[in-house]
Amino acid sequence: MGKKSDKAEIDRRIHTVVRLLSSTKTSSYILRFCSEEWGVTSRQAQTYLQRAREIIKADYSVDRADFLGTRLALLDKIIQASIDSKQHSNAVGALKLQAQLTRLLEGG
């Protein structure tokens, strides 16, 4: 039996699994990755996967107004970057999305 990982190593592994989930890797891929990369049992890999999913859920369990505000601010940056790089169609698309999110413009 290998040596037990410390808390910092376990946290690093769980955040690696968060990144894998966020990059659309399947559960079976992640379980295999954990086994091959860290030599953990299937049960331990399942635990990492479960804890990673809990982190992702917590990241997205925000108030609707807060979520909308951060997305609108991000769209402001996209609009400015698009204008600065003379990609005006991207700026128009981001403006349209802002209008839809704020319900100034209904539909598609």
Side-chain angles (χ1 to χ4, degrees), residues 16-36:
T16 297
V17 174
V18 167
R19 284 191 301 278
L20 290 170
L21 283 169
S22 298
S23 66
T24 69
K25 299 297 185 206
T26 63
S27 294
S28 61
Y29 174 90
I30 294 170
L31 295 174
R32 187 172 55 255
F33 175 89
C34 291
S35 175
E36 292 172 2

Side-chain angles (χ1 to χ4, degrees), residues 21-75:
L21 283 169
S22 298
S23 66
T24 69
K25 299 297 185 206
T26 63
S27 294
S28 61
Y29 174 90
I30 294 170
L31 295 174
R32 187 172 55 255
F33 175 89
C34 291
S35 175
E36 292 172 2
E37 187 71 18
W38 303 313
V40 298
T41 65
S42 177
R43 184 174 177 184
Q44 185 60 48
Q46 287 282 359
T47 300
Y48 291 160
L49 194 54
Q50 174 68 30
R51 290 181 58 192
R53 286 186 174 128
E54 290 168 4
I55 289 169
I56 291 170
K57 284 179 190 173
D59 284 348
Y60 284 96
S61 65
V62 296
D63 179 68
R64 184 178 172 93
D66 290 342
F67 180 82
L68 180 61
T70 58
R71 294 320 182 257
L72 291 172
L74 177 59
L75 285 168

Side-chain angles (χ1 to χ4, degrees), residues 68 72 75 91-103 105:
L68 180 61
L72 291 172
L75 285 168
V92 169
L95 283 165
K96 184 177 178 182
L97 183 54
Q98 272 189 327
Q100 289 171 333
L101 288 172
T102 57
R103 297 184 185 249
L105 178 65

Side-chain angles (χ1 to χ4, degrees), residues 74-84 90-91 94-95 98:
L74 177 59
L75 285 168
D76 281 340
K77 290 181 180 183
I78 292 169
I79 291 165
Q80 189 59 55
S82 298
I83 290 169
D84 292 346
N90 290 346
L95 283 165
Q98 272 189 327

